[in-house]
Amino acid sequence: MKLINIGFGSMVAAQRLLAVVAPDSAPIKRIVQEARDRGMLIDASYGRKTKAVLLMDTDHVILSAVPTETLCARWMDRPEPETEEEA
């Protein structure tokens, strides 16, 4: 089983991951709110700004403070892109 690091020591199972999306659009904000109302939201951002929303096949929605590009690179086993914060 492949695990993907989503930040701060948290991991998700790669085969359960459906999508990694940016949290900015209204439809994604609705998905997050609906998951919160149903008790299916997992906040793995540890109080930091949410930069990615992970949609799982279990109907869970996970919030991460790691950017979508970085998570995608980890998911696809590619080198991680450099961000302005690392420079």
Side-chain angles (χ1 to χ4, degrees):
M1 173 184 359
K2 179 182 173 187
L3 296 175
I4 301 169
N5 182 345
I6 62 168
F8 307 104
S10 299
M11 308 276 195
V12 296
Q15 64 268 21
R16 304 296 241 162
L17 187 58
L18 294 176
V20 178
V21 295
D24 305 326
S25 72
I28 298 302
K29 288 178 182 179
R30 268 194 303 275
I31 289 172
V32 169
Q33 186 58 50
E34 289 170 3
R36 181 176 282 122
D37 295 343
R38 290 181 293 126
M40 299 296 281
L41 182 71
I42 301 170
D43 188 352
S45 66
Y46 288 82
R48 291 178 174 76
K49 182 178 182 208
T50 299
K51 295 184 181 174
V53 177
L54 291 81
L55 306 175
M56 310 300 288
D57 67 352
T58 58
D59 213 22
H60 285 88
V61 176
I62 303 173
L63 306 180
S64 174
V66 177
T68 55
E69 296 83 10
T70 303
L71 290 175
C72 186
R74 292 176 185 177
W75 191 10
M76 303 298 285
D77 288 326
R78 293 188 308 222
E80 294 181 17
E82 291 186 27
T83 61
E84 298 162 4
E85 298 160 0
E86 296 173 341

